Amino acid sequence: MKELLARYKYRGDERLRTVLGQMLVHSYHLLHKDRETFPSESDSAKEFITFVPVSERRMIERGFNQAEQMAVELGQRIGIPVIPLLKRSKHTDKQSFKKRSERLDDLEHVFEVNDSIHEYLGKSSATSFVIYIVDDVYTTGSTMNQCAKVLREYISAEVFGLTWAR
């Protein structure tokens, strides 16, 4: 899995997004199976997929956002719209080189809601939302937790993380 992710993320083999996106479909179905066991108010909620944003520096470095590409692949396969609900307000060093405590501290106030969030959510007549945040790897959960926290502060939503690897 490390080699596959390195080929995709760091060596730019973007053809792998279709494989990784298909694998996320499995994660989505597993999550839904678990949610059926514990039904909630969100059964009539509007569903969206979003993704962990990368900094401008990282985008220039890589040329693409792997989480965004994976989210788009997932959305196309399961028929849920993908919208950029988040933006990264500051650059951070690569999380993979940091200890758990450094990751937690480093990601405070890094994410914000996207300025165009009103355009996306205002079009929906739903009063509650289910949002799936896509990222490539779940390590400590600090990235997902910070993204979910920002979204929940802004809108009433159940937020779930979907990642390709842990």
Side-chain angles (χ1 to χ4, degrees):
M1 288 182 83
K2 281 185 179 182
E3 177 57 31
L4 200 59
L5 186 63
R7 275 182 46 204
Y8 176 50
K9 190 172 175 178
Y10 302 117
R11 285 179 255 160
D13 190 351
E14 293 182 63
R15 297 172 301 167
L16 291 171
R17 72 177 168 226
T18 57
V19 173
L20 303 182
Q22 179 59 42
M23 294 170 104
L24 277 174
V25 172
H26 179 68
S27 296
Y28 172 81
H29 288 304
L30 286 175
L31 175 62
H32 260 266
K33 187 176 181 182
D34 286 345
R35 287 184 64 219
E36 287 172 8
T37 307
F38 304 102
S40 68
E41 296 175 27
S42 66
D43 293 339
S44 62
K46 178 72 176 158
E47 293 181 304
F48 292 109
I49 297 171
T50 195
F51 48 87
V52 174
V54 295
S55 67
E56 276 187 52
R57 187 185 310 175
R58 198 72 71 224
M59 185 62 100
I60 291 167
E61 205 176 272
R62 290 190 191 135
F64 65 97
N65 176 348
Q66 72 283 354
E68 179 179 7
Q69 286 186 346
M70 293 166 71
V72 168
E73 286 291 326
L74 174 63
Q76 288 173 346
R77 292 170 188 272
I78 62 174
I80 295 178
V82 177
I83 56 177
L85 293 177
L86 297 164
K87 65 181 178 180
R88 195 174 199 111
S89 55
K90 69 178 183 178
H91 175 77
T92 57
D93 292 327
K94 292 180 180 175
Q95 299 298 306
S96 58
F97 300 127
K98 297 178 185 169
K99 296 177 186 171
R100 178 178 172 76
S101 60
E102 293 171 322
R103 290 176 190 221
L104 295 171
D105 292 340
D106 198 35
L107 290 173
E108 270 300 313
H109 310 293
V110 169
F111 302 105
E112 298 175 0
V113 293
N114 198 333
D115 298 332
S116 59
I117 194 168
H118 297 293
E119 294 174 32
Y120 299 114
L121 300 181
K123 291 178 182 176
S124 174
S125 60
T127 55
S128 63
F129 301 94
V130 175
I131 300 171
Y132 304 98
I133 305 171
V134 172
D135 202 5
D136 54 358
V137 177
Y138 180 101
T139 307
T140 63
S142 54
T143 301
M144 282 291 180
N145 287 334
Q146 286 300 318
C147 288
K149 178 181 170 187
V150 167
L151 288 171
R152 280 195 215 105
E153 287 173 355
Y154 194 80
I155 58 172
S156 173
E158 276 192 271
V159 181
F160 298 95
L162 291 173
T163 60
W164 175 74
R166 181 175 172 134

Coordinates of all heavy atoms in Angstrom, one line a residue, residues 41-107:
E41 N -31.2 10.5 12.7 CA -32.1 11.5 12.0 C -31.6 11.8 10.6 O -32.3 12.4 9.8 CB -32.0 12.8 12.9 CG -32.6 12.7 14.2 CD -32.4 14.0 15.1 OE1 -32.3 15.0 14.5 OE2 -32.3 13.9 16.3
S42 N -30.4 11.4 10.3 CA -29.8 11.8 9.0 C -30.4 10.9 7.9 O -29.9 11.1 6.7 CB -28.3 11.6 9.0 OG -28.0 10.3 9.2
D43 N -31.3 10.0 8.1 CA -31.8 9.2 7.1 C -32.4 10.0 5.9 O -32.5 9.5 4.8 CB -32.8 8.2 7.6 CG -32.2 7.2 8.6 OD1 -30.9 7.0 8.5 OD2 -32.9 6.6 9.4
S44 N -32.9 11.2 6.2 CA -33.5 12.0 5.1 C -32.6 13.2 4.8 O -33.0 14.1 4.1 CB -34.9 12.5 5.5 OG -34.8 13.3 6.7
A45 N -31.4 13.2 5.3 CA -30.5 14.3 5.1 C -29.9 14.2 3.7 O -29.8 13.2 3.0 CB -29.3 14.2 6.1
K46 N -29.4 15.4 3.2 CA -28.7 15.5 1.9 C -27.3 15.1 2.1 O -26.6 15.6 3.1 CB -28.8 17.0 1.4 CG -28.1 17.3 0.2 CD -28.9 16.6 -1.0 CE -28.2 17.0 -2.3 NZ -28.5 16.2 -3.4
E47 N -26.8 14.3 1.2 CA -25.4 13.8 1.3 C -24.5 14.5 0.4 O -24.9 14.8 -0.8 CB -25.3 12.3 1.0 CG -26.0 11.4 2.0 CD -25.9 9.9 1.7 OE1 -26.3 9.6 0.5 OE2 -25.4 9.2 2.5
F48 N -23.3 14.8 0.8 CA -22.2 15.4 0.0 C -20.9 14.8 0.4 O -20.7 14.3 1.5 CB -22.0 16.9 0.4 CG -23.2 17.8 -0.1 CD1 -24.0 18.4 0.9 CD2 -23.4 18.1 -1.4 CE1 -25.1 19.2 0.5 CE2 -24.5 18.9 -1.8 CZ -25.3 19.4 -0.8
I49 N -20.0 14.8 -0.6 CA -18.6 14.4 -0.4 C -17.8 15.6 -0.5 O -18.0 16.4 -1.4 CB -18.2 13.3 -1.5 CG1 -19.0 12.1 -1.3 CG2 -16.7 13.0 -1.3 CD1 -18.8 11.1 -2.5
T50 N -16.8 15.7 0.4 CA -15.8 16.8 0.3 C -14.5 16.1 0.5 O -14.4 14.9 0.6 CB -16.1 17.9 1.2 OG1 -15.3 19.1 0.8 CG2 -15.8 17.6 2.7
F51 N -13.4 16.9 0.6 CA -12.1 16.3 0.7 C -11.2 17.2 1.5 O -11.5 18.4 1.6 CB -11.5 16.1 -0.8 CG -11.7 17.3 -1.6 CD1 -10.7 18.3 -1.6 CD2 -12.8 17.5 -2.4 CE1 -10.9 19.4 -2.4 CE2 -13.0 18.6 -3.2 CZ -12.0 19.6 -3.2
V52 N -10.1 16.7 2.0 CA -9.1 17.4 2.7 C -8.3 18.3 1.7 O -7.8 17.7 0.7 CB -8.2 16.5 3.5 CG1 -7.1 17.3 4.1 CG2 -8.9 15.7 4.5
P53 N -8.4 19.6 1.9 CA -7.7 20.5 0.9 C -6.2 20.5 1.2 O -5.7 20.2 2.3 CB -8.3 21.8 1.2 CG -8.7 21.8 2.6 CD -9.1 20.4 2.9
V54 N -5.4 20.7 0.2 CA -3.9 20.9 0.3 C -3.6 22.4 0.2 O -4.4 23.2 -0.4 CB -3.1 20.1 -0.7 CG1 -3.4 18.6 -0.5 CG2 -3.5 20.5 -2.2
S55 N -2.4 22.7 0.7 CA -2.0 24.1 0.6 C -1.6 24.4 -0.9 O -1.3 23.5 -1.7 CB -0.8 24.4 1.5 OG 0.3 23.6 1.0
E56 N -1.5 25.7 -1.2 CA -1.0 26.1 -2.5 C 0.3 25.6 -2.8 O 0.6 25.1 -3.9 CB -1.0 27.7 -2.6 CG -2.3 28.3 -2.9 CD -2.2 29.8 -3.2 OE1 -1.4 30.2 -4.0 OE2 -3.0 30.5 -2.6
R57 N 1.2 25.6 -1.8 CA 2.6 25.1 -2.0 C 2.6 23.6 -2.4 O 3.3 23.2 -3.3 CB 3.4 25.3 -0.7 CG 4.9 25.0 -0.9 CD 5.7 25.1 0.3 NE 5.5 26.3 1.0 CZ 6.0 26.6 2.2 NH1 6.8 25.7 2.8 NH2 5.8 27.8 2.8
R58 N 1.7 22.8 -1.7 CA 1.6 21.4 -1.9 C 1.0 21.1 -3.3 O 1.4 20.2 -4.0 CB 0.8 20.7 -0.9 CG 1.0 19.2 -0.8 CD 2.4 18.8 -0.2 NE 2.4 19.0 1.2 CZ 3.5 19.6 1.8 NH1 4.6 19.9 1.1 NH2 3.6 19.8 3.1
M59 N 0.1 22.0 -3.7 CA -0.6 21.8 -5.0 C 0.5 22.1 -6.1 O 0.5 21.4 -7.1 CB -1.8 22.8 -5.1 CG -2.5 22.6 -6.4 SD -3.3 21.0 -6.6 CE -4.9 21.4 -6.1
I60 N 1.3 23.1 -5.9 CA 2.3 23.4 -6.9 C 3.3 22.3 -7.0 O 3.8 21.9 -8.1 CB 3.0 24.8 -6.6 CG1 2.0 25.9 -6.8 CG2 4.3 25.0 -7.4 CD1 2.5 27.3 -6.3
E61 N 3.7 21.8 -5.8 CA 4.7 20.7 -5.7 C 4.2 19.4 -6.5 O 4.9 18.8 -7.2 CB 4.8 20.4 -4.2 CG 6.1 19.7 -3.8 CD 6.1 19.6 -2.3 OE1 6.5 20.6 -1.6 OE2 5.6 18.6 -1.8
R62 N 2.9 19.0 -6.2 CA 2.4 17.8 -6.8 C 1.6 18.0 -8.1 O 1.5 17.0 -8.8 CB 1.5 17.1 -5.7 CG 2.2 16.6 -4.5 CD 1.2 15.8 -3.7 NE 1.9 15.5 -2.4 CZ 1.3 15.6 -1.2 NH1 0.1 15.9 -1.1 NH2 2.0 15.4 -0.2
G63 N 1.0 19.1 -8.2 CA 0.2 19.3 -9.4 C -1.2 18.9 -9.3 O -2.0 19.1 -10.2
F64 N -1.6 18.2 -8.2 CA -2.9 17.8 -8.0 C -3.1 17.5 -6.5 O -2.2 17.4 -5.7 CB -3.2 16.5 -8.8 CG -2.4 15.3 -8.4 CD1 -2.9 14.4 -7.5 CD2 -1.1 15.1 -8.8 CE1 -2.2 13.2 -7.1 CE2 -0.4 14.0 -8.5 CZ -0.9 13.1 -7.6
N65 N -4.4 17.4 -6.1 CA -4.8 17.1 -4.7 C -5.3 15.6 -4.8 O -6.4 15.4 -5.3 CB -5.8 18.0 -4.2 CG -6.3 17.6 -2.8 OD1 -6.0 16.5 -2.3 ND2 -7.0 18.5 -2.1
Q66 N -4.5 14.7 -4.2 CA -4.9 13.3 -4.3 C -6.3 13.0 -3.6 O -7.1 12.2 -4.1 CB -3.8 12.4 -3.7 CG -3.7 12.4 -2.2 CD -2.9 13.7 -1.7 OE1 -2.4 14.5 -2.4 NE2 -2.9 13.8 -0.4
A67 N -6.5 13.7 -2.5 CA -7.8 13.5 -1.8 C -9.0 14.0 -2.7 O -10.0 13.4 -2.7 CB -7.8 14.2 -0.5
E68 N -8.8 15.1 -3.4 CA -9.8 15.6 -4.3 C -10.1 14.6 -5.4 O -11.3 14.3 -5.7 CB -9.4 17.0 -4.8 CG -10.5 17.5 -5.8 CD -10.1 18.9 -6.3 OE1 -8.9 19.4 -6.1 OE2 -10.9 19.5 -7.0
Q69 N -9.0 14.1 -6.0 CA -9.2 13.2 -7.1 C -9.9 11.9 -6.6 O -10.8 11.4 -7.3 CB -7.9 12.8 -7.7 CG -7.3 13.9 -8.6 CD -6.0 13.4 -9.3 OE1 -5.4 12.4 -9.0 NE2 -5.6 14.2 -10.3
M70 N -9.5 11.4 -5.5 CA -10.2 10.2 -4.9 C -11.7 10.5 -4.6 O -12.5 9.6 -4.8 CB -9.4 9.7 -3.7 CG -8.0 9.2 -4.0 SD -7.0 9.0 -2.6 CE -7.7 7.6 -1.8
A71 N -11.9 11.7 -4.1 CA -13.3 12.0 -3.8 C -14.2 12.1 -5.1 O -15.3 11.6 -5.1 CB -13.4 13.4 -3.1
V72 N -13.6 12.7 -6.1 CA -14.3 12.7 -7.4 C -14.6 11.3 -7.9 O -15.7 11.0 -8.4 CB -13.5 13.6 -8.4 CG1 -14.1 13.5 -9.8 CG2 -13.5 15.1 -8.0
E73 N -13.6 10.5 -7.9 CA -13.8 9.1 -8.3 C -14.9 8.4 -7.5 O -15.8 7.8 -8.1 CB -12.5 8.3 -8.1 CG -11.5 8.6 -9.2 CD -11.8 8.1 -10.6 OE1 -12.5 7.1 -10.7 OE2 -11.4 8.8 -11.5
L74 N -14.9 8.6 -6.2 CA -15.9 8.0 -5.3 C -17.3 8.6 -5.7 O -18.3 7.8 -5.8 CB -15.6 8.3 -3.8 CG -16.7 7.8 -2.8 CD1 -16.9 6.3 -2.9 CD2 -16.3 8.3 -1.4
G75 N -17.4 9.9 -5.8 CA -18.7 10.5 -6.1 C -19.3 10.1 -7.4 O -20.5 9.8 -7.5
Q76 N -18.4 9.9 -8.4 CA -19.0 9.4 -9.7 C -19.5 8.0 -9.6 O -20.5 7.7 -10.2 CB -17.8 9.5 -10.7 CG -17.5 10.9 -11.2 CD -16.3 10.9 -12.1 OE1 -15.5 10.0 -12.2 NE2 -16.1 12.1 -12.7
R77 N -18.8 7.2 -8.8 CA -19.2 5.8 -8.7 C -20.5 5.6 -7.8 O -21.2 4.6 -8.1 CB -18.1 5.0 -8.1 CG -16.9 4.9 -9.1 CD -15.7 4.3 -8.5 NE -14.5 4.4 -9.3 CZ -14.2 3.5 -10.3 NH1 -14.9 2.4 -10.4 NH2 -13.1 3.7 -11.0
I78 N -20.7 6.4 -6.8 CA -21.9 6.2 -6.0 C -23.0 7.3 -6.2 O -24.0 7.2 -5.5 CB -21.5 6.1 -4.5 CG1 -20.8 7.4 -4.0 CG2 -20.5 4.9 -4.2 CD1 -20.5 7.5 -2.5
G79 N -22.7 8.2 -7.0 CA -23.8 9.2 -7.3 C -24.0 10.3 -6.3 O -25.2 10.7 -6.1
I80 N -23.0 10.7 -5.5 CA -23.1 11.7 -4.5 C -22.3 12.9 -5.0 O -21.1 12.7 -5.4 CB -22.7 11.2 -3.1 CG1 -23.6 10.1 -2.7 CG2 -22.7 12.4 -2.1 CD1 -23.3 9.6 -1.3
P81 N -22.8 14.1 -5.0 CA -22.0 15.3 -5.4 C -20.8 15.5 -4.6 O -20.8 15.4 -3.3 CB -23.0 16.4 -5.4 CG -24.2 16.0 -4.7 CD -24.1 14.5 -4.5
V82 N -19.7 15.9 -5.2 CA -18.5 16.3 -4.5 C -18.4 17.8 -4.6 O -18.4 18.4 -5.6 CB -17.2 15.7 -5.2 CG1 -15.9 16.1 -4.6 CG2 -17.4 14.1 -5.2
I83 N -18.2 18.4 -3.4 CA -18.1 19.9 -3.3 C -17.0 20.3 -2.4 O -16.7 19.6 -1.4 CB -19.4 20.5 -2.9 CG1 -19.9 20.0 -1.6 CG2 -20.5 20.3 -4.0 CD1 -21.2 20.6 -1.1
P84 N -16.3 21.3 -2.8 CA -15.1 21.8 -2.0 C -15.6 22.6 -0.8 O -15.6 23.8 -0.9 CB -14.3 22.6 -3.0 CG -15.3 23.1 -4.0 CD -16.4 22.0 -4.0
L85 N -16.0 22.0 0.3 CA -16.5 22.7 1.4 C -15.4 23.3 2.3 O -15.7 24.2 3.1 CB -17.3 21.8 2.3 CG -18.6 21.2 1.7 CD1 -19.3 20.2 2.7 CD2 -19.6 22.4 1.4
L86 N -14.2 22.9 2.2 CA -13.1 23.3 3.0 C -12.0 24.0 2.2 O -11.8 23.7 1.0 CB -12.5 22.2 3.8 CG -13.4 21.5 4.8 CD1 -12.9 20.1 5.2 CD2 -13.7 22.4 6.0
K87 N -11.2 24.9 2.9 CA -10.0 25.4 2.3 C -8.9 25.4 3.4 O -9.2 25.4 4.6 CB -10.2 26.8 1.7 CG -10.5 27.8 2.8 CD -10.7 29.2 2.1 CE -11.1 30.3 3.2 NZ -11.3 31.6 2.6
R88 N -7.7 25.3 2.9 CA -6.6 25.3 3.8 C -6.1 26.7 4.0 O -5.7 27.3 3.0 CB -5.5 24.4 3.3 CG -4.5 24.0 4.3 CD -3.5 22.9 3.7 NE -2.9 22.3 4.8 CZ -3.1 21.0 5.1 NH1 -3.9 20.3 4.5 NH2 -2.4 20.5 6.1
S89 N -6.1 27.3 5.2 CA -5.7 28.7 5.3 C -4.2 28.9 5.6 O -3.7 30.0 5.5 CB -6.5 29.3 6.5 OG -6.3 28.5 7.7
K90 N -3.5 27.8 5.9 CA -2.1 27.9 6.0 C -1.4 26.6 5.7 O -2.0 25.5 5.8 CB -1.6 28.4 7.4 CG -1.9 27.5 8.5 CD -1.4 28.1 9.8 CE -1.5 27.0 11.0 NZ -1.0 27.5 12.2
H91 N -0.1 26.7 5.2 CA 0.7 25.6 4.9 C 1.3 24.9 6.1 O 1.6 25.6 7.1 CB 1.8 26.0 3.9 CG 2.7 24.9 3.6 ND1 2.4 23.9 2.6 CD2 4.0 24.6 4.0 CE1 3.4 23.1 2.5 NE2 4.4 23.5 3.4
T92 N 1.3 23.6 6.1 CA 2.0 22.9 7.2 C 3.0 21.9 6.6 O 2.8 21.5 5.4 CB 1.0 22.1 8.1 OG1 0.3 21.2 7.3 CG2 0.1 23.0 8.8
D93 N 4.0 21.6 7.3 CA 5.0 20.6 6.8 C 4.3 19.3 6.7 O 3.2 19.1 7.3 CB 6.2 20.5 7.8 CG 7.0 21.8 7.7 OD1 7.1 22.4 6.7 OD2 7.6 22.1 8.8
K94 N 4.9 18.3 6.0 CA 4.2 17.0 5.9 C 4.0 16.4 7.2 O 4.9 16.3 8.1 CB 5.1 16.1 5.0 CG 5.2 16.6 3.6 CD 6.1 15.7 2.7 CE 6.1 16.3 1.3 NZ 7.1 15.5 0.4
Q95 N 2.8 15.9 7.4 CA 2.4 15.3 8.6 C 3.1 13.9 8.9 O 3.3 13.5 10.0 CB 0.9 15.1 8.7 CG 0.1 16.4 8.6 CD 0.3 17.3 9.7 OE1 0.2 17.0 10.9 NE2 0.8 18.5 9.4
S96 N 3.5 13.3 7.8 CA 4.1 11.9 8.0 C 5.4 12.0 8.7 O 5.8 10.9 9.2 CB 4.2 11.3 6.6 OG 5.0 12.1 5.8
F97 N 6.0 13.1 8.8 CA 7.3 13.2 9.5 C 7.2 13.6 11.0 O 8.1 13.8 11.7 CB 8.3 14.2 8.8 CG 8.6 13.8 7.4 CD1 8.4 14.7 6.4 CD2 9.1 12.5 7.1 CE1 8.7 14.3 5.0 CE2 9.4 12.2 5.8 CZ 9.2 13.1 4.8
K98 N 5.9 13.8 11.4 CA 5.7 14.3 12.8 C 5.2 13.3 13.8 O 4.5 12.3 13.4 CB 4.7 15.5 12.7 CG 5.2 16.6 11.9 CD 4.2 17.7 11.8 CE 4.7 18.8 10.8 NZ 3.7 19.7 10.5
K99 N 5.4 13.6 15.0 CA 4.9 12.7 16.1 C 3.4 13.1 16.3 O 3.0 14.2 15.8 CB 5.6 13.0 17.4 CG 7.1 12.6 17.4 CD 7.7 12.9 18.7 CE 9.2 12.7 18.6 NZ 9.9 13.2 19.7
R100 N 2.7 12.3 17.0 CA 1.2 12.5 17.2 C 1.0 13.9 17.8 O 0.1 14.6 17.3 CB 0.7 11.4 18.1 CG -0.8 11.6 18.4 CD -1.4 10.4 19.2 NE -2.7 10.7 19.7 CZ -3.8 10.6 18.9 NH1 -3.7 10.2 17.7 NH2 -5.0 10.8 19.4
S101 N 1.7 14.2 18.9 CA 1.4 15.5 19.5 C 1.7 16.7 18.6 O 1.0 17.7 18.6 CB 2.3 15.6 20.8 OG 3.6 15.5 20.5
E102 N 2.7 16.5 17.8 CA 3.1 17.6 16.8 C 2.0 17.8 15.8 O 1.6 18.9 15.4 CB 4.4 17.3 16.1 CG 5.6 17.4 17.0 CD 6.9 16.9 16.4 OE1 6.8 15.9 15.6 OE2 7.9 17.5 16.6
R103 N 1.4 16.6 15.4 CA 0.3 16.7 14.4 C -0.9 17.4 14.9 O -1.5 18.2 14.2 CB -0.1 15.3 13.9 CG 0.9 14.6 13.1 CD 0.5 13.1 12.9 NE 1.6 12.4 12.3 CZ 1.4 11.5 11.3 NH1 0.2 11.3 10.8 NH2 2.4 10.9 10.8
L104 N -1.2 17.1 16.2 CA -2.4 17.7 16.8 C -2.2 19.2 16.9 O -3.2 20.0 16.6 CB -2.7 17.1 18.1 CG -3.1 15.6 18.1 CD1 -3.1 15.0 19.5 CD2 -4.4 15.4 17.4
D105 N -1.1 19.6 17.4 CA -0.8 21.1 17.5 C -0.7 21.8 16.2 O -1.2 22.9 16.0 CB 0.5 21.3 18.3 CG 0.4 20.9 19.7 OD1 -0.7 20.7 20.3 OD2 1.4 20.6 20.4
D106 N -0.1 21.1 15.2 CA 0.2 21.7 13.9 C -1.1 22.0 13.1 O -1.1 22.9 12.3 CB 1.1 20.8 13.1 CG 1.8 21.5 12.0 OD1 2.1 22.6 12.1 OD2 1.9 20.8 10.9
L107 N -2.2 21.3 13.3 CA -3.4 21.4 12.5 C -4.4 22.3 13.1 O -5.5 22.5 12.5 CB -4.0 20.0 12.2 CG -3.1 19.2 11.3 CD1 -3.7 17.8 11.2 CD2 -3.0 19.8 9.9

